[in-house]
Amino acid sequence: MLLRSAAITQGIQRSPNRAMLRAVGFDDNDFDKPIIGLANGYSTITPCNIGLNELAKKASIAIKEGGAMPQMFGTITVSDGISMGTEGMKYSLVSREVIADSIETACNAQSMDGVLAIGGCDKNMPGAIIAMARMNIPAIFVYGGTIKPGKLNGEDLTVVSAFEAVGQLTSGKITEKQLIAVEKNCIPGAGSCGGMFTANTMSAAIEAMGLSLPHSSTMAAEDDEKLDSTERSAKVLIQAINKQICPLDLITRESLENAISVVMAVGGSTNAVLHLLAIARTAGVELSIDDFEKIRQKVPVICDLKPSGKYVTVDLHKAGGIPQVMKILLKAGLINGNCKTIEGKTINETLKEIPSEPSSDQNVIHPISSPVYEKGHLAILKGNIAMEGSVAKISGIKKTELTGPAKVFESEEDCLEAILKKEIYAGDVVVIRNEGPVGGPGMREMLAPTSAIVGQGLGDKVALITDGRFSGGTYGLVVGHVAPEAAIGGNIALIKNGDTITVDANKKLIQLNVDEEEIIRRRKNWLKPKGKYSSGILGKYARLVSSSSEGAVTDQP
């Protein structure tokens, strides 16, 4: 086996290189060993990542014991939950690119032979996988784990509970004291947000693609099995280096379709559409936004998970986790069992001992014969508002169609102010624009407005459309990722207050009910808005980023 690191650790005139490595712990017997990068997302910024350092230390020990040399380096994270509803949220999606860039830079600069990436918060996962696809060196992802549910009055709480409580307070349903009680109890410790929100959705998708170990995507951050799984991940990576199992062997059209099927089955986040498109684009795999709709028509939602359902991710883990979900889908012919995993096994081999039916003593995972919803929950809507497509999350709502007057807002803050002032009424179609990848820039998530709407009891009575994103904790008749976005002249920029808009998930339609001649007249009068940032990372991002329908990537021509 030819190691990439050999150029650094061996050869004529390499003494200075070796001297540097001696200073960080190498001795005479270490220069022939594989060098493995440990991309450590540890941070005290967010509970999602606060426990990662212990996992990184465990992995480092296991790598050395396995005959390789770990080189640990840090990568960033942004807490969506803390920055939600602020200007800071514009950096969230941007951080995915920063994470990918930093891992690629460190690993390629040091000619590492493999990488074990450890992440927790939402963008850690896709950022790491994008980097793995770019480098195509043996790689494995270790998820930091999910948070355990908060408890209040016998009910499970998640971070979304706090956002919804704000809406409940403004509508008089709860008191200030009750709001503070929710705030104090909804996040009890370390781990990523506890429902099937973006972090848990993406960890599930990564497990489905074979880039992490079975069962690892649903473990609780604070449980000992997470340390054990991390240790095993390090050993599996060393084997993958010896066998030269690389990410592009695993990230294929078929494995991405498996990931989409799992996302549909578990009721996952709308952000999975954006991130899986970005991963596919980086890996050179042909995948379009329309493929999500095709899979949605075949794959039912079989897991009853928050935000729209009853249970949290630790409950899914106890019920069998992602392997149980995948085995049910495999038996139904809804995933490809021939796809390979980082362990060198096929999905068929990995799932061989998993029961074909969910256990009868739990209600988290339903049999495919009696699903939570007969079709997937992430619908791709098109029409004259979103000719490139948009993403609607339609789980947990009674009404999947609404035609009503538009109430247009140029930012999330303006919209939230109107909601809290009770200026949004049943039947309205709320439009938040200029929040796309370019216009935001950064495509903020709209959890604060959507949670406030739900908290006021309008979740089934109001539609909300945006060229921004939604949190994985969002539910209701909401449509995000509208493309083309307003900032580059998409028709969402031409909507006026009072225009009638139809949102119909059954017909896969998002339509501005204005005649084409009027749209043409409005377009002639439209002026491209001046960019909000001309320099810094947000200015650079706005200049480079692609459409959300292509994954909002920054490294493609």
Side-chain angles (χ1 to χ4, degrees):
M1 179 184 61
L2 182 64
L3 297 176
R4 294 206 318 163
S5 59
I8 288 177
T9 59
Q10 297 178 353
I12 299 172
Q13 297 179 340
R14 294 297 178 191
S15 184
N17 309 63
R18 288 156 63 107
M20 295 290 285
L21 290 170
R22 288 184 190 278
V24 296
F26 281 60
D27 62 29
D28 291 345
N29 299 318
D30 295 329
F31 293 114
D32 293 328
K33 296 175 181 177
I35 292 179
I36 295 178
L38 252 175
N40 183 2
Y42 166 71
S43 170
T44 59
I45 287 174
T46 170
C48 310
N49 290 45
I50 199 167
L52 301 190
N53 212 37
E54 294 307 309
L55 301 183
K57 291 176 184 177
K58 189 76 169 180
S60 182
I61 293 169
I63 288 168
K64 290 203 78 169
E65 289 177 347
M69 293 302 292
Q71 287 200 306
M72 192 185 301
F73 59 91
T75 186
I76 68 156
T77 198
V78 167
S79 174
D80 293 358
I82 295 172
S83 61
M84 195 74 68
T86 73
E87 281 285 295
M89 188 65 196
K90 293 182 177 181
Y91 290 86
S92 171
L93 186 58
V94 176
S95 76
R96 184 189 75 183
E97 308 304 297
V98 177
I99 292 164
D101 292 349
S102 66
I103 294 174
E104 176 192 2
T105 299
C107 289
N108 280 348
Q110 303 306 124
S111 300
M112 294 176 184
D113 299 299
V115 62
L116 185 151
I118 306 176
C121 202
D122 294 6
K123 308 310 171 297
N124 298 179
M125 274 72 76
I129 303 306
I130 288 169
M132 292 173 184
R134 290 179 188 173
M135 299 181 296
N136 199 34
I137 59 175
I140 195 167
F141 185 78
V142 172
Y143 179 42
T146 184
I147 200 169
K148 294 179 179 179
K151 297 283 186 180
L152 185 63
N153 300 323
E155 295 291 326
D156 284 350
L157 300 182
T158 69
V159 65
V160 176
S161 305
F163 284 94
E164 291 181 359
V166 174
Q168 292 168 342
L169 178 68
T170 60
S171 60
K173 294 181 178 180
I174 63 172
T175 65
E176 181 85 19
K177 183 177 179 181
Q178 289 171 305
L179 171 66
I180 297 300
V182 172
E183 175 191 316
K184 288 182 176 180
N185 289 279
C186 64
I187 302 177
S192 298
C193 298
M196 191 48 66
F197 310 152
T198 302
N200 287 321
T201 298
M202 290 311 300
S203 68
I206 291 167
E207 182 179 324
M209 285 191 287
L211 288 158
S212 62
L213 296 187
H215 295 285
S216 65
S217 68
T218 53
M219 292 175 179
E222 297 179 326
D223 285 353
D224 288 342
E225 65 176 343
K226 177 48 67 177
L227 284 166
D228 296 339
S229 177
T230 302
E231 180 178 31
R232 184 163 169 261
S233 296
K235 294 176 180 177
V236 167
L237 177 58
I238 294 171
Q239 294 171 3
I241 292 171
N242 292 331
K243 297 176 182 177
Q244 280 300 287
I245 301 172
C246 296
L248 296 187
D249 299 324
L250 309 180
I251 305 172
T252 64
R253 167 80 184 197
E254 291 76 18
S255 74
L256 283 160
E257 289 178 343
N258 284 354
I260 296 169
S261 295
V262 167
V263 168
M264 293 294 179
V266 300
S269 167
T270 53
N271 284 306
V273 178
L274 193 75
H275 297 323
L276 290 173
L277 286 171
I279 291 166
R281 191 165 174 82
T282 302
V285 176
E286 187 175 333
L287 187 77
S288 78
I289 196 169
D290 295 320
D291 291 315
F292 288 80
E293 181 61 35
K294 292 173 185 175
I295 293 172
R296 180 182 87 86
Q297 294 294 330
K298 298 185 292 182
V299 179
V301 178
I302 60 172
C303 296
D304 187 10
L305 295 167
K306 289 180 182 291
S308 59
K310 182 178 180 181
Y311 298 99
V312 293
T313 305
V314 291
D315 299 318
L316 174 61
H317 188 63
K318 293 172 186 173
I322 298 305
Q324 179 64 84
V325 173
M326 292 182 71
K327 185 59 174 281
I328 294 168
L329 297 178
L330 180 66
K331 182 183 178 184
L334 296 173
I335 62 171
N336 188 317
N338 295 318
C339 293
K340 295 280 189 179
T341 74
I342 189 65
E343 294 181 279
K345 301 177 182 178
T346 64
I347 296 294
N348 284 324
E349 292 167 336
T350 300
L351 301 178
K352 185 178 179 181
E353 303 301 321
I354 303 295
S356 296
E357 297 291 334
S359 173
S360 59
D361 62 358
Q362 56 80 46
N363 296 309
V364 185
I365 307 174
H366 288 214
I368 205 160
S369 57
S370 57
V372 181
Y373 304 102
E374 292 185 359
K375 292 183 179 180
H377 63 302
L378 299 180
I380 305 303
L381 276 54
K382 291 189 174 182
N384 62 2
I385 293 178
M387 289 179 283
E388 291 180 13
S390 61
V391 184
K393 187 175 185 180
I394 59 174
S395 55
I397 58 173
K398 299 171 185 175
K399 190 174 183 180
T400 56
E401 181 275 330
L402 191 149
T403 297
K407 286 196 173 173
V408 182
F409 301 94
E410 304 298 336
S411 71
E412 177 187 4
E413 288 87 350
D414 291 345
C415 178
L416 182 60
E417 181 180 359
I419 295 168
L420 296 180
K421 287 181 178 178
K422 300 183 181 179
E423 295 173 355
I424 304 300
Y425 306 104
D428 286 344
V429 178
V430 177
V431 179
I432 307 176
R433 63 190 179 196
N434 292 308
E435 290 284 7
V438 174
M443 206 178 178
R444 287 192 291 182
E445 293 179 346
M446 305 292 142
L447 180 58
T450 56
S451 295
I453 286 171
V454 170
Q456 290 186 356
L458 294 171
D460 289 323
K461 302 177 181 69
V462 168
L464 190 152
I465 69 173
T466 180
D467 50 11
R469 295 183 295 132
F470 293 115
S471 162
T474 294
Y475 62 101
L477 189 54
V478 295
V479 186
H481 307 202
V482 168
E485 63 174 290
I488 63 171
N491 282 349
I492 190 173
L494 309 180
I495 300 171
K496 293 184 177 181
N497 280 314
D499 286 346
T500 301
I501 292 174
T502 296
V503 177
D504 191 329
N506 294 321
K507 294 182 179 179
K508 297 173 285 185
L509 179 68
I510 179 169
Q511 184 78 19
L512 173 62
N513 299 316
V514 171
D515 65 65
E516 186 61 29
E517 290 182 0
E518 174 61 17
I519 291 175
I520 292 171
R521 281 193 293 271
R522 292 182 187 183
R523 178 163 299 286
K524 287 180 180 178
N525 294 322
W526 178 76
L527 297 175
K528 182 179 176 65
K530 183 180 179 181
K532 297 171 185 174
Y533 296 85
S534 59
S535 61
I537 194 167
L538 292 181
K540 179 167 62 175
Y541 183 86
R543 290 191 294 273
L544 294 174
V545 69
S546 70
S547 169
S548 60
S549 66
E550 298 176 342
V553 294
T554 58
D555 67 331
Q556 300 293 309

